[in-house]
Each structure stands twice: as C-alpha cells, then as structure tokens.
Amino acid sequence: MNIDLAMQSFQTNGFHTCQNFLTQDQLQTTRSNVAEVLASLHKSCDLEWIQHIHTLPEGQWLHHLAVTTASPVAAHLLQDPNPILYSSQIAVRLPSAISIASTPWHQDGAGAGVCTFWIALDRIDSTNGGLQVMPGKHMEGSLPLKQITEEKDLDNAINMASHNVYEVVTNKSNIFKYRLRAGGAGVHHDSLPHCAGANRSNKPRRVIILRYMKSDTKPAVGQFKHYRTGEMINRTYTEGSN
C-alpha cells in the first residue's frame, strides 16, 4: 500500500483501498490458517465474529500478518509510532441461501482515533457482502442515532450496539462500494459511515478485520470467546510493531 496516497485519501475521503495489500504467498498462507480455524470452530462461535485470535499462542500467524502489513500503515495514518492493535476478527459471511446476514450503516466510534483494515481473502464486491462507505462523511463527526421502529431491525441493532446504528441518508451518488481482488484491502476512519449487505453469491465471503487505536488511548477491558473451546477469556492488547 502506498502510505502517502493512503494518508491523503484517508484524510480527504475517510478511507483508502489497495488491490495488492497481501502478497500471493501471504494470501495463500492466510487462507490456509483461516481454514484451520474454521475446521476447529466451536459450535457456539459466530462465523462473522471470530475475534482476537492474534492474542492466542496458536494465532501468532495473525499477529505476524498484522505486524508486517497493517501496523506500519496504521502508524502513519494515526500519526503514532506504536498504535495498539486492539482487535482482530475473522468474518465469514455465508451465501444468502444459508444466511441473510447484513451489517447496517454505522460508525466505529466516531472520534475515537481508530483506523480499521478490511482485508479480503476472496474477491469482494457488492454481490457478496462487500463494504460500502460514504466518502467524506467522516468530516461530520458522530451522526444521530437511528430510532428502531420495526422488529425486523432489532436483532441487527442489538448486534451492532457497541458501534450504534445510525440514521444515514443515502443515494447512489454518495456511496462507494468496495471492489477488491483476493488479497486486496481497504482501511477506513472511525467516523466513516459504512455497511455491508448480504452475500448473494454461492460461496462464503472471508475477510480479516484489524482495528488500531492510538497508543495514548486506554482500550476497554473485556473478554472474548475462544474459537476452539467457546470459553470466555480476557482480552490483551498489542502495540504497533511489537
């Protein structure tokens, strides 16, 4: 990823995309590692929320991937030499014949000093749950909360409660839809409204999500579900290139 170009786009548009974020070797190795995770996934774990594997001994492959690819870019975008990798996530969105899951418009904690990497392990576009963003909208800060009035929206709102669900006025002219090759990635600002639709293809859509915050920000204390055992364990945090 061209770091200077990424910085310019991140500041102006609130996001930047790159078609060759991972090398072919990195892509194949990462796909293999993700396949191993999925093969041993506990039945209580959500395929879209396989979290914090980079903090586990068996997840050092993900920590290494973050250090070699995302951390240097995050340091530049956040203007912090040691940003905290506070969250990693494997998100598999199944075909709509199996699941109609979608992600509503939201922000990742406006003004929190966070950047989020969305790394594609498969070809991504709007037909299989690719990310959609509103360029420049990060300049407006925190958007008003949406009032949920229909029961069909309630589960999605509860699931996204940590980020909030926002009332976002959209039209075709103010939405950019990610189109990424396998191995491509996008990075977006915490105030940028974004969403992702259902996967209408006939194959699963696999992405890795890495979230960084500035080193002077105190991460929230919490727990996550171990992908193999289903047990809740305490979260730990990793600074930039360590």
Side-chain angles (χ1 to χ4, degrees):
M1 181 178 286
N2 183 312
I3 292 183
D4 290 333
L5 184 60
M7 173 63 97
Q8 180 181 359
S9 181
F10 187 77
Q11 292 178 337
T12 303
N13 299 316
F15 74 100
H16 181 68
T17 60
C18 171
Q19 294 295 344
N20 298 294
F21 190 67
L22 302 182
T23 67
Q24 283 301 305
D25 285 346
Q26 285 178 315
L27 176 61
Q28 295 307 318
T29 299
T30 304
R31 281 174 164 174
S32 177
N33 285 319
V34 168
E36 290 183 12
V37 169
L38 297 178
S40 58
L41 192 66
H42 192 270
K43 62 182 180 181
S44 67
C45 292
D46 188 329
L47 277 170
E48 293 214 44
W49 293 89
I50 306 170
Q51 295 182 295
H52 311 304
I53 287 180
H54 75 281
T55 66
L56 303 173
E58 64 271 32
Q60 288 305 296
W61 62 268
L62 186 50
H63 178 263
H64 178 72
L65 180 70
V67 167
T68 57
T69 58
S71 292
V73 182
H76 196 74
L77 297 182
L78 296 177
Q79 298 182 326
D80 187 323
N82 293 295
I84 297 171
L85 172 59
Y86 79 94
S87 173
S88 67
Q89 178 181 345
I90 297 172
V92 180
R93 180 153 295 180
L94 296 175
S96 54
I98 303 172
S99 169
I100 58 171
S102 62
T103 307
W105 286 103
H106 68 284
Q107 295 168 299
D108 292 338
V114 170
C115 64
T116 300
F117 290 80
W118 209 81
I119 305 170
L121 303 185
D122 303 292
R123 178 199 56 78
I124 298 291
D125 60 30
S126 60
T127 68
N128 66 346
L131 208 66
Q132 301 181 35
V133 302
M134 299 180 68
K137 196 77 171 177
H138 66 299
M139 297 287 196
E140 299 181 21
S142 183
L143 298 179
L145 292 171
K146 178 180 180 179
Q147 182 176 0
I148 301 300
T149 58
E150 297 186 37
E151 188 173 351
K152 66 180 180 64
D153 295 327
L154 187 58
D155 286 345
N156 235 346
I158 292 172
N159 189 43
M160 298 300 296
S162 62
H163 305 302
N164 294 315
V165 178
Y166 293 85
E167 189 68 66
V168 178
V169 178
T170 63
N171 56 61
K172 291 183 179 179
S173 66
N174 71 344
I175 296 176
F176 179 87
K177 300 179 180 181
Y178 278 21
R179 293 178 62 90
L180 297 171
R181 302 171 186 159
V187 56
H188 64 264
H189 191 282
D190 56 41
S191 297
L192 186 72
H194 55 284
C195 73
N199 179 2
R200 301 192 303 278
S201 74
N202 59 5
K203 297 179 180 179
R205 181 223 67 185
R206 301 166 295 176
V207 299
I208 287 177
I209 302 170
L210 303 175
R211 299 179 179 91
Y212 289 84
M213 61 170 45
K214 292 185 177 181
S215 59
D216 61 359
T217 304
K218 185 177 181 180
V221 175
Q223 294 185 315
F224 68 99
K225 185 175 289 189
H226 194 292
Y227 75 98
R228 288 190 306 186
T229 67
E231 296 177 330
M232 300 302 294
I233 59 178
N234 293 329
R235 293 174 64 173
T236 58
Y237 301 94
T238 305
E239 290 188 2
S241 59
N242 293 336

